[in-house]
Amino acid sequence: MKRKSPATRFLISLGVGAFLLIASGHVDELRAYQGAQVAIYAIAIASIVLLTGYSGQISLGHGALMAVGGYAAVIAQIHWHLPYPLTFLIGGIAGALAGYVLGIAAARLRGPYLAGTTLALAVGLPSLANQFHILGGEQGLQFDVGTAPTWVGKDFTQYRWFFWVAVVMALAIFWLLRNLLSTRYGRRWRAVRANPTAAALTGIDIAKAKVLAFTLSSAVAGLSGALFAMLLGLVAPLAFTLTLSFTLVTGAVLAGVSNLGGSIIGAIVLVAIPELSNAVATHLGGSDRVTANLPGVVTSVLLIVTVLLAPNGPKIPRRHK
Amino acid sequence: MTTFFNTILVGISSGSIYALMSLSLVLVWRSTRVVNFAAAGQAVLSTYLGYEAMSRLHNYWLSLPIAVIAGALISAIVESFVMRPLAKRSKGSPVESIAPVIATLGILGLIRGIAGLVWGNTFLQYTSPLSSKGFMIGHTTIPFSPLNAAIVIGAAIVLAFFAAIFRFTRLGLALRAASFQPEISRLSGIRVDRIRTIGWAFAGAAGALAGALVTPTTYLSPNSLDLLLVSGFVAAVIGGLESLIGAVVGGLVLGVGFAFILQYIGSEVTFSAAFIILIIVLFIRPQGIFGRGGSREA
């Protein structure tokens, strides 16, 4: 496979975007909602792929970083009355700040320690919202992005608009990340992941590279958190559960953890599984119990099987540079 | 002053539970260098089995050993059917330290899902005949009940049992050798795979006991023990992740710490406190209280 230039990638993104945006006019609200969900999950999973697949760190706490981004975006809207595109940016910046602090701790930890620490974060951080009045407690805070602007046309439904916003953001993020990963930063991260000792011998500052990867990954997670808040219309501790963090890791693993494009597949799988298993559960005449738990069982089995059969993620032809 | 002592008593009781979960994580870590995030799921499943036993036999004291044995079996199954093949497949690959973490997450999700399918996501009561009313000393009731006493005694017995096995038996020696130098152990005739499975089974038993002892004080649901997992992990890190004594001391320190936070600050901060304590420990003394020097590498 030949390396594409940033401009080619931009054109591809543009093409995919145009196709998706036109296609969105021909589906119902539920599909538009799910489409937006896929785009947002894809961004969040990309943040894990960046972290795990490229710099070899693991995080079970990215749901918490999404919460940081989401809350920051909402607060920026409520208290600073920023227009919503800027609040997404604020979400990303807040995520980056939190990720920087966490990344300094993370660079000293490996594998299981890092997993455990980020797990504690995932459990601990959302409950902080109950502590501070400004964060709205258990009820959370409303996030109102508003309806579609008039220039996109009449009868433009709410979720279709969310889908547009999410898709445009996702394409922009993927374009940026794809280009970033083919610069020296991307190569450094891969070197750190493949062989830390050899990387250090070639003069790469491992700790610095890891902190940078963590910060950037958290920024992306924060941004996806802000988008997630837009889709839900609110931020609340219950929206950013431990399960969300686990879901993101699952999506990244299912997609092949060292493949950025795979995050889209991972996101589609994550959204499709509950849908499909619901259909199966209904077909089998299952109770609420089945409907509630079948998706979890299916994703978990997929996760275990993927890790067992292909610990490195599904085999995808890799470019050798 | 009374409040102070009462807080310590509360802390020791909940700390004993954390100690058991922490012990479970440390035993797995020592035998296979994996932090078993599925421990919460395994303990939940064994507690559900204890609940089933309880509803048939109507005897908590009979259901307790059933839950513990079930916990050991579940853990041994997880090790032999998922973790061992995975370790062989991912050996030497860049994801060697990450793949097991992900696999244990998968198992956690699977067990939760199965528990939800079988028993539903409602809160079940798994009750103990022991009173949760505090003992009376003179005319004051202290916040330490017969149930708390059973928890502390149970944890102490388990710790003594494991300490004795590791120190005095050939099995203990094999367990230590297999984790320390698997290749050399294999050469000297230790069946490393089997020993590892036994290590996991012990860990499962400790986790199951934690689940069966803590559940009567709260409720049972597919993810009712998630928090215990986090506390157990923090306790294990405080103790150094390698040391059994460290796991127990870590659990007690965390339990008492939480009790003071609960008493003097408020219940809502406890979740966040676990994270803050963990970060502080990792920054100040990354090798834990009982760990030896060196960096925290897997």
Side-chain angles (χ1 to χ4, degrees):
Chain A
M1 214 195 294
K2 213 171 146 264
R3 255 183 80 175
K4 298 183 205 77
S5 74
T8 324
R9 289 194 190 118
F10 184 71
L11 287 177
I12 294 176
S13 306
L14 218 56
V16 172
F19 170 74
L20 284 174
L21 297 185
I22 291 167
S24 75
H26 301 278
V27 294
D28 58 33
E29 277 288 87
L30 177 64
R31 291 281 174 269
Y33 176 84
Q34 286 170 334
Q37 220 179 350
V38 167
I40 293 164
Y41 272 148
I43 300 175
I45 293 171
S47 77
I48 303 261
V49 168
L50 182 69
L51 188 71
T52 307
Y54 284 84
S55 82
Q57 306 181 84
I58 191 167
S59 168
L60 307 182
H62 262 47
L65 291 167
M66 284 178 74
V68 169
Y71 272 99
V74 174
I75 287 169
Q77 187 187 48
I78 294 177
H79 295 275
W80 303 337
H81 309 290
L82 290 181
Y84 68 88
L86 279 180
T87 64
F88 297 155
L89 193 67
I90 297 283
I93 293 170
L97 288 176
Y100 178 70
V101 176
L102 196 60
I104 294 175
R108 303 166 54 146
L109 310 170
R110 277 188 65 181
Y113 287 96
L114 184 52
T117 309
T118 47
L119 175 76
L121 175 77
V123 173
L125 198 76
S127 67
L128 264 186
N130 296 331
Q131 273 305 293
F132 299 100
H133 184 65
I134 187 177
L135 299 178
E138 198 72 46
Q139 307 299 318
L141 298 165
Q142 300 288 321
F143 190 37
D144 187 14
V145 169
T147 48
T150 41
W151 56 264
V152 290
K154 276 186 202 157
D155 309 327
F156 210 85
T157 60
Q158 185 69 69
Y159 286 127
R160 193 176 163 208
W161 173 240
F162 286 166
F163 175 75
W164 275 45
V165 174
V167 163
V168 168
M169 293 306 282
L171 288 171
I173 293 288
F174 274 87
W175 179 73
L176 278 173
L177 287 182
R178 187 63 262 174
N179 289 326
L180 181 76
L181 288 173
S182 48
T183 63
R184 62 194 160 121
Y185 293 105
R187 287 194 297 276
R188 275 184 196 168
W189 287 329
R190 273 198 296 274
V192 169
R193 176 192 183 230
N195 192 333
T197 318
L201 283 174
T202 56
I204 295 172
D205 186 339
I206 295 192
K208 222 172 168 180
K210 282 188 167 179
V211 173
L212 184 64
F214 213 107
T215 310
L216 193 69
S217 164
S218 309
V220 176
L223 180 94
S224 74
L227 290 168
F228 195 54
M230 164 194 81
L231 188 64
L232 297 177
L234 67 114
V235 279
L238 277 177
F240 301 96
T241 53
L242 189 58
T243 315
L244 176 66
S245 295
F246 285 178
T247 306
L248 298 180
V249 176
T250 308
V253 173
L254 292 183
V257 78
S258 43
N259 185 291
L260 195 64
S263 359
I264 299 166
I265 302 170
I268 294 173
V269 173
L270 286 184
V271 176
I273 284 177
E275 182 81 4
L276 290 177
S277 56
N278 266 351
V280 171
T282 325
H283 185 71
L284 295 175
S287 55
D288 292 348
R289 200 180 274 192
V290 179
T291 333
N293 290 296
L294 199 59
V297 172
V298 174
T299 7
S300 305
V301 169
L302 271 179
L303 186 63
I304 296 170
V305 170
T306 315
V307 173
L308 269 181
L309 295 184
N312 281 318
K315 282 249 170 356
I316 288 159
R318 295 282 297 273
R319 273 172 289 202
H320 293 281
K321 296 176 190 129
Chain B
M1 204 58 205
T2 334
T3 325
F4 181 81
F5 279 114
N6 286 349
T7 312
I8 290 185
L9 282 177
V10 171
I12 288 175
S13 166
S14 55
S16 305
I17 302 279
Y18 303 152
L20 279 173
M21 184 46 92
S22 163
L23 208 57
S24 171
L25 294 175
V26 167
L27 283 165
V28 165
W29 175 258
R30 281 174 61 130
S31 66
T32 48
R33 306 274 125 188
V34 169
V35 172
N36 183 17
F37 292 109
Q42 294 174 9
V44 151
L45 187 55
S46 61
T47 309
Y48 270 113
L49 294 172
Y51 166 86
E52 279 298 313
M54 171 90 169
S55 62
R56 283 177 176 67
L57 304 170
H58 306 287
N59 186 333
Y60 178 76
W61 301 112
L62 280 177
S63 74
L64 202 59
I66 290 175
V68 169
I69 292 167
L73 285 177
I74 295 164
S75 194
I77 291 170
V78 166
E79 202 279 329
S80 343
F81 288 98
V82 181
M83 300 315 286
R84 193 190 303 166
L86 177 68
K88 298 211 158 120
R89 280 167 169 280
S90 67
K91 202 170 178 116
S93 91
V95 289
E96 195 178 347
S97 69
I98 290 175
V101 173
I102 291 168
T104 57
L105 286 184
I107 294 162
L108 176 62
L110 179 61
I111 292 179
R112 273 179 179 175
I114 292 174
L117 280 176
V118 178
W119 290 280
N121 295 41
T122 45
F123 294 169
L124 298 177
Q125 292 295 325
Y126 177 50
T127 44
S128 139
L130 289 173
S131 159
S132 50
K133 275 212 188 92
F135 289 111
M136 295 283 283
I137 292 184
H139 290 290
T140 48
T141 317
I142 58 167
F144 195 76
S145 62
L147 185 59
N148 295 133
I151 290 171
V152 175
I153 293 167
I157 291 173
V158 169
L159 175 70
F161 173 73
F162 284 133
I165 284 188
F166 272 94
R167 188 150 298 195
F168 302 118
T169 64
R170 287 184 62 85
L171 175 63
L173 187 63
L175 276 162
R176 278 184 288 157
S179 72
F180 189 62
Q181 282 288 358
E183 286 308 315
I184 294 174
S185 311
R186 204 167 270 131
L187 289 174
S188 39
I190 295 172
R191 297 185 187 199
V192 174
D193 283 347
R194 185 185 290 179
I195 288 296
R196 285 182 168 167
T197 310
I198 293 173
W200 272 71
F202 281 165
L209 188 63
L213 285 176
V214 78
T215 305
T217 66
T218 54
Y219 57 86
L220 183 59
S221 84
N223 41 16
S224 60
L225 297 180
D226 286 3
L227 225 64
L228 182 59
L229 174 73
V230 176
S231 310
F233 179 77
V234 177
V237 171
I238 294 175
L241 209 51
E242 283 284 342
S243 148
L244 297 183
I245 303 290
V248 173
V249 173
L252 292 177
V253 166
L254 191 67
V256 173
F258 273 1
F260 274 97
I261 290 170
L262 208 67
Q263 177 69 39
Y264 295 103
I265 303 178
S267 64
E268 300 92 347
V269 242
T270 22
F271 300 122
S272 329
F275 176 68
I276 293 161
I277 293 171
L278 183 61
I279 289 284
I280 291 172
V281 172
L282 287 171
F283 267 93
I284 295 174
R285 198 172 163 76
Q287 71 273 31
I289 302 173
F290 289 86
R292 270 159 274 128
S295 72
R296 302 232 110 175
E297 301 214 339

